[in-house]
Amino acid sequence: MKFKSLILAGVLLLAANGMAQAPSNGGAYYPKQTRVPVWLDLSAGLNAVDCYDAGTVPFKYMGMGTNLGMDVTIEWERYHIRPGFRYFNNILKDPSGTAISLDFSTEFLYRFHDAAQNRFHLWVGGTLQGFLDVKSIPSLQNAATCLSLFGNVGATGMVQYDFAFNPDKNHNWLTTYFKLNVPLCGTINRPGYAYIGNPAINEDAIETLFGGNEAFDKFFPGLNTDLGLYLNLLNGNRIGLNYRWDYLSTGKKGTYRYDNALHSVNLSFMFRLN
């Protein structure tokens, strides 16, 4: 009920703000800019995790939960920068436990091609990503907590199309996009197989969480995709719906295997700040 109330409040706030303000520069999606557009993007959604973490348990397991996110989007001329973070909380089953993930990223994109009356756009660039995954499975006792870290540098591309429904075609009401990020190289820090964390012996928290971890570099440690749709209000605010698939892997076999796939459906509210 709280989640539904949050969504309703966001929609009403965006709609009311859109009625109160007149569109600037004709309301077009890419008008001649006198100020650098900045949006605050708040998102929430549902997610599922599909994981094979041999350092924790020797079989595949799944879970479901919710996520929250916050991003800042800055666009000017042909450039786009978007720093932000997302928080995932999943409840695991068989074995029961929790998985908490934090995803920090900053994407840099350049719009290098426009077509179809300036409605079709191609973007290219890169993404810096830091990913933290913490699993807690009490039934594993001394190995109950497993912490994994990824730091990735990726190549990113996006295809985008704007739809204008009014007769004058001066406002792009809907924008759809597909984004692909390929991590080219990354650094990984993970527990080895059959790790043991014993707070009674290791009183230092850092030693408990990271003692005995292995660190290594990996080319192409995963893949990220994002398919979404935005409703562009007249005042510059946006309401978005998207599906993301985030996959990270150590690329190792047997007892050192780690594959983590996060599926998430999110509703976002983008507030134009200037």
Side-chain angles (χ1 to χ4, degrees):
M1 183 64 67
K2 290 183 178 180
F3 182 67
K4 292 182 179 179
S5 299
L6 176 62
I7 294 176
L8 179 60
V11 171
L12 293 176
L13 178 60
L14 284 170
N17 199 18
M19 296 294 183
Q21 298 183 28
S24 60
N25 298 317
Y29 191 74
Y30 291 109
K32 182 178 180 181
Q33 297 173 352
T34 58
R35 294 179 299 177
V36 176
V38 179
W39 288 270
L40 175 64
D41 186 351
L42 303 177
S43 64
L46 304 176
N47 43 263
V49 61
D50 184 0
C51 188
Y52 196 113
D53 186 352
T56 306
V57 292
F59 51 84
K60 180 179 177 180
Y61 55 97
M62 303 179 67
M64 299 185 66
T66 58
N67 70 82
L68 297 172
M70 184 175 69
D71 303 90
V72 175
T73 300
I74 306 170
E75 293 180 354
W76 74 101
E77 297 179 354
R78 291 181 170 270
Y79 301 95
H80 165 104
I81 297 178
R82 185 174 184 173
F85 80 93
R86 292 180 299 150
Y87 166 80
F88 300 87
N89 191 333
N90 288 287
I91 304 300
L92 305 177
K93 293 184 177 181
D94 299 324
S96 62
T98 59
I100 295 175
S101 302
L102 294 176
D103 182 12
F104 298 88
S105 65
T106 300
E107 64 180 22
F108 307 86
L109 297 177
Y110 174 74
R111 196 175 86 249
F112 77 96
H113 180 68
D114 303 302
Q117 298 180 341
N118 201 36
R119 301 197 181 283
F120 178 78
H121 314 284
L122 294 177
W123 302 74
V124 294
T127 298
L128 300 176
Q129 179 190 29
F131 183 83
L132 168 66
D133 180 51
V134 182
K135 291 184 175 66
S136 176
I137 303 177
S139 61
L140 298 181
Q141 299 180 9
N142 284 350
T145 303
C146 176
L147 189 149
S148 305
L149 289 167
F150 284 76
N152 299 320
V153 178
T156 307
M158 182 170 67
V159 179
Q160 183 182 42
Y161 191 85
D162 302 320
F163 296 89
F165 302 110
N166 56 313
D168 294 334
K169 305 294 184 182
N170 63 345
H171 180 76
N172 297 323
W173 283 99
L174 291 177
T175 298
T176 185
Y177 68 90
F178 174 74
K179 189 183 303 179
L180 174 67
N181 175 55
V182 180
L184 301 178
C185 59
T187 297
I188 303 169
N189 187 289
R190 288 242 331 123
Y193 176 66
Y195 68 95
I196 295 177
N198 192 339
I201 299 175
N202 302 322
E203 296 181 358
D204 184 84
I206 301 299
E207 179 64 24
T208 300
L209 292 176
F210 294 98
N213 278 21
E214 56 179 7
F216 52 92
D217 298 326
K218 176 74 172 63
F219 291 103
F220 304 107
L223 190 68
N224 312 110
T225 64
D226 188 356
L227 176 64
L229 181 71
Y230 279 111
L231 170 64
N232 305 305
L233 301 180
L234 289 175
N235 65 333
N237 293 341
R238 304 173 185 170
I239 302 174
L241 180 68
N242 73 310
Y243 164 73
R244 283 190 59 138
W245 179 64
D246 297 275
Y247 172 71
L248 289 175
S249 174
T250 59
K252 295 193 174 185
K253 305 296 183 180
T255 57
Y256 291 95
R257 178 180 171 186
Y258 173 90
D259 297 294
N260 193 80
L262 276 168
H263 306 265
S264 59
V265 177
N266 307 285
L267 182 65
S268 62
F269 304 103
M270 295 182 66
F271 298 92
R272 178 75 178 264
L273 300 181
N274 69 344

